[in-house]
Amino acid sequence: MNLKPGFEKYIPFTPQPIQGRTWPDKVITKAPVWCSVDLRDGNQALIDPMNLEEKLEYFHTLVDIGVKEIEIGFPSASETEYEICRELIEGHHIPDDVTIQVLVQAREHLIRKTFEAIRGAKNVILHFYNSTSTLQRKVVFHMDCPGITKIATDAADLIYEMAQPVIAEGMNLRYEYSPESFMGTEMDYAVEICAAVLDHLHATAEQPVILNLPTTVENCMPNQFADMLEYFIRSLPGRERAVISLHPHNDRGTGVATTEMGLLAGAERVEATLFGNGERTGNVDMVTLAMNMYTQGVDPELDFRDINKIRDMYERCTKMKVGERQPYVGELVFTAFSGSHQDAINKGMHYMKESGTDMWEVPYLPIDPADVGRQYEPIIRINSQSGKGGAAFVMMQSFGYDLPKAMHAEFGAVVQKESDRVGKELKPDQIFALFDQEYLSVPKTYQLERHSFLEDARHGDASWVVFNGEVGYHGKVMGARGEGNGPIDAFFNALHDLPEGHIEGYQFVDYKEHAISTGSDTQAVCYIHLKDPEGKDVFGVGKSHNISRASLRAILCAINRSIYNEK
Ligand code: KIV
Ligand code: ZN
């Protein structure tokens, strides 16, 4: 052996020449036929393959998602695989509209065993394969192309012969052939062997055979694969006799792109797994493919509305972990850490609400998290880089407090200080605790004990209001009375005239109030913006079942905060 060093020892992929390719001008407009290979390709790649119970749970989840073709295993490979196949059939786990698929190598004794395994099933795809790539022919089989073709056509003959009585007994049996390592096979030879298999299986347009074209090992760019596929489909004699299926793996990390471009190039069916489990870097991820279509306005015909439940099942059965950044499902994929992203999301959410638009138009969120059963609540976590809008956004999204714009900076600074102090991001509950501590539970130098208003509204806007009540000052309760042109003015005047601790120098700037519901309980929440005697802005928040009490509490909250912050 005289191996070249480093990258020089690798043989670059030879692209398939093609004239007038059409796939780049196409778009995906409908869902392919989906086939799950979780229970076979996914399962064979697990450190601990699934037991019967786990496979059954997984199978039922796939059915609930809406997958209609499910490769359940390799029943001739082991007793366990055989037993699982039998249990699915005999235990009546397979709905009538679901087809099970079983994999077998193109070898006689394994094919015979597979026919035994599927007896009694209603709908079956019998999937056989042999490897066709240049490399495998050279280093594994030491065979020329006619030899490799004979393995496939002998298997096709046997399968066709064994299928006839089974079909006569009522089984809806279809065939699938995979030229394994298709991506590493010369296209003219791939066409030749697939055409021979179609002939030997008596494929017709009415009873087409599935030609599954695996990127067993992904070794070229997605556009190069699309060229190969378009060339293959154009060259295949009697193309209408075949359903063109993809089976992408993900060695270059481009399984999704390969599949999408393969669909543009004419594929009609996709074999994939949930979250991309499978040999080495995995099979292509069915969830990402489906949700990518969904975000382009195409119905993927799969149901991922409760993605967390599917992820939990997946992690339990496979003992694998879904990564935090896995598209659509990862823990962090609906989280914005950057302040400018948070502000833009905030504005997008406001736009959605105000404009009444019926389209999703929120920057930085390619999908409405609710569509996959995720909450808005974890969209934003606050860290010291989050900017002033982030904290207010969390208060709105998670707790329904719609802070006035002028208050965002003040509360943002409170949150930022705490985030700097603890040195990490804050979660929504921690942000609410800060809000509570800063506003709702601020130490009460002044406290409203009792109040009533007497109002005299005249024609036009003129009105006269009398405040009557009791206010606590350092725990001492005093009578308070004031008159003004509105309730807030009357209350300010009453505070000014308190016998002890009278309040002066505060100026009213602005006011905002809204209802807030928790379960069946609805309260008013009021935000007051004052200028303190030094002219500094100070905000207060009050909450009550009574609207005027909420605003009076908010005024005292602002004053109490200003006194407390002076200390
Ligand atoms: O990746 C592959 O080529 C396979 C075949 C058996 C279809 O899994
Ligand atoms: Zn595979």
Side-chain angles (χ1 to χ4, degrees):
M1 202 165 64
N2 190 14
L3 199 59
K4 287 187 178 174
F7 64 86
E8 290 171 36
K9 65 176 166 289
Y10 296 105
I11 306 164
F13 179 79
T14 311
Q16 172 62 48
I18 180 170
Q19 295 299 314
R21 58 174 71 75
T22 62
W23 65 264
D25 295 325
K26 304 219 168 116
V27 285
I28 296 171
T29 53
K30 68 180 178 59
V33 173
W34 297 107
C35 173
S36 151
V37 289
D38 295 74
L39 302 177
R40 197 277 300 172
D41 224 349
N43 188 53
Q44 79 187 42
L46 295 175
I47 294 167
D48 281 328
M50 288 181 258
N51 61 27
L52 175 64
E53 248 179 26
E54 289 161 342
K55 264 204 171 185
L56 288 179
E57 182 181 357
Y58 208 123
F59 179 84
H60 288 295
T61 304
L62 291 168
V63 169
D64 292 345
I65 289 169
V67 185
K68 299 292 180 208
E69 296 183 1
I70 303 176
E71 189 162 87
I72 58 167
F74 203 143
S76 61
S78 73
E79 242 350 86
T80 323
E81 288 281 288
Y82 185 91
E83 288 309 323
I84 289 171
C85 178
R86 292 312 305 155
E87 172 55 30
L88 277 164
I89 298 167
E90 285 167 24
H92 305 289
H93 294 281
I94 309 160
D96 282 353
D97 64 346
V98 169
T99 299
I100 55 165
Q101 178 166 310
V102 283
L103 181 72
V104 62
Q105 277 175 3
R107 295 169 70 183
E108 182 180 345
H109 70 289
L110 300 179
I111 292 169
R112 291 190 186 283
K113 179 92 180 162
T114 305
F115 270 93
E116 240 178 70
I118 58 171
R119 68 195 184 279
K122 186 165 189 276
N123 305 304
V124 179
I125 295 170
L126 200 137
H127 177 191
F128 68 108
Y129 72 97
N130 66 326
S131 193
T132 57
S133 70
T134 330
L135 182 63
Q136 296 236 25
R137 290 191 326 253
K138 183 168 92 177
V139 306
V140 183
F141 299 104
H142 309 288
M143 243 184 220
D144 57 8
C145 291
I148 296 288
T149 304
K150 189 166 183 317
I151 295 175
T153 50
D154 282 355
D157 288 341
L158 177 62
I159 288 169
Y160 186 78
E161 183 195 316
M162 291 189 74
Q164 298 320 301
V166 178
I167 293 169
E169 278 165 25
M171 184 185 289
N172 172 21
L173 180 64
R174 289 183 284 147
Y175 317 118
E176 171 170 333
Y177 171 66
S178 290
E180 204 238 51
S181 307
F182 169 81
M183 200 185 240
T185 306
E186 307 85 330
M187 278 308 97
D188 288 330
Y189 178 55
V191 168
E192 184 187 313
I193 191 168
C194 287
V197 167
L198 293 183
D199 290 343
H200 282 253
L201 288 172
H202 306 267
T204 61
E206 293 68 40
Q207 285 180 326
V209 166
I210 299 167
L211 284 183
N212 187 49
L213 307 174
T215 53
T216 304
V217 176
E218 186 178 58
N219 61 357
C220 73
M221 286 169 59
N223 61 309
Q224 294 170 330
F225 178 71
D227 279 354
M228 284 166 70
L229 197 63
E230 184 162 340
Y231 179 90
F232 175 91
I233 294 174
R234 269 192 213 168
S235 314
L236 185 70
R239 183 257 175 270
E240 67 289 347
R241 300 179 296 163
V243 172
I244 303 296
S245 175
L246 303 177
H247 178 104
H249 281 264
N250 197 35
D251 299 78
R252 295 169 55 94
T254 54
V256 167
T258 293
T259 312
E260 290 177 337
M261 292 194 188
L263 290 172
L264 298 181
E268 302 148 297
R269 182 179 186 270
V270 173
E271 295 194 348
T273 59
L274 296 179
F275 312 121
N277 184 38
E279 288 278 5
R280 306 179 307 283
T281 49
N283 288 70
V284 70
D285 173 15
M286 184 184 278
V287 180
T288 303
L289 284 171
M291 295 315 294
N292 283 359
M293 287 178 200
Y294 186 95
T295 61
Q296 297 305 304
V298 174
D299 180 359
E301 296 170 20
L302 295 177
D303 183 352
F304 291 116
R305 280 173 300 174
D306 193 350
I307 205 149
N308 287 349
K309 188 167 151 208
I310 296 168
R311 183 202 54 208
D312 291 348
M313 177 291 300
Y314 168 83
E315 291 190 338
R316 198 173 45 252
C317 293
T318 62
K319 285 122 203 141
M320 298 281 288
K321 281 262 162 267
V322 170
E324 280 105 329
R325 305 228 180 257
Q326 175 95 4
Y328 304 105
V329 63
E331 165 92 32
L332 294 177
V333 301
F334 298 118
T335 305
F337 288 90
S338 139
S340 64
H341 291 203
Q342 292 177 5
D343 282 342
I345 291 171
N346 198 354
K347 286 182 179 128
M349 294 289 191
H350 261 92
Y351 168 77
M352 297 283 296
K353 211 164 134 192
E354 301 298 304
S355 67
T357 175
D358 57 1
M359 304 307 278
W360 180 251
E361 293 174 284
V362 180
Y364 298 109
L365 288 180
I367 182 175
D368 179 353
D371 285 1
V372 283
R374 303 284 298 269
Q375 304 289 327
Y376 290 132
E377 183 253 339
I379 288 174
I380 289 184
R381 296 174 180 182
I382 302 300
N383 59 27
S384 55
Q385 312 299 310
S386 304
K388 53 187 163 50
F393 181 72
V394 170
M395 289 304 296
M396 177 62 197
Q397 285 302 319
S398 303
F399 307 105
Y401 285 75
D402 190 5
L403 275 51
K405 189 122 189 59
M407 194 176 156
H408 289 192
E410 185 189 85
F411 183 53
V414 170
V415 171
Q416 195 148 332
K417 197 168 151 209
E418 177 65 4
S419 171
D420 284 341
R421 190 186 69 77
V422 295
K424 53 182 181 188
E425 64 184 29
L426 300 178
K427 303 220 168 100
D429 284 347
Q430 293 167 294
I431 290 166
F432 187 81
L434 282 175
F435 181 79
D436 182 79
Q437 181 188 315
E438 184 69 31
Y439 298 100
L440 303 175
S441 305
V442 66
K444 294 185 174 53
T445 309
Y446 293 93
Q447 173 141 9
L448 181 69
E449 300 292 342
R450 196 179 61 74
H451 87 278
S452 71
F453 282 113
L454 186 70
E455 276 196 57
D456 183 9
R458 308 270 163 93
H459 60 85
D461 271 349
S463 71
W464 193 247
V465 177
V466 179
F467 170 88
N468 244 313
E470 286 175 351
V471 172
Y473 174 59
H474 286 301
K476 181 171 173 190
V477 178
M478 298 169 281
R481 187 180 184 286
E483 297 183 9
N485 56 17
I488 291 178
D489 192 33
F491 185 52
F492 261 105
N493 290 333
L495 295 177
H496 184 264
D497 291 344
L498 282 176
E500 254 180 73
H502 64 271
I503 296 169
E504 51 186 344
Y506 286 89
Q507 271 174 34
F508 172 79
V509 180
D510 206 0
Y511 158 98
K512 173 172 173 173
E513 196 160 45
H514 65 80
I516 191 160
S517 305
T518 35
S520 58
D521 182 44
T522 300
Q523 297 198 51
V525 59
C526 177
Y527 311 87
I528 292 277
H529 180 181
L530 304 182
K531 291 265 184 213
D532 75 3
E534 268 88 56
K536 278 198 281 181
D537 291 306
V538 59
F539 293 87
V541 181
K543 214 168 113 179
S544 172
H545 289 102
N546 176 305
I547 294 176
S548 20
R549 203 168 174 80
S551 55
L552 302 182
R553 281 184 173 160
I555 293 170
L556 289 184
C557 167
I559 294 168
N560 287 331
R561 288 186 66 237
S562 131
I563 294 167
Y564 183 69
N565 292 336
E566 278 298 291
K567 287 183 188 164

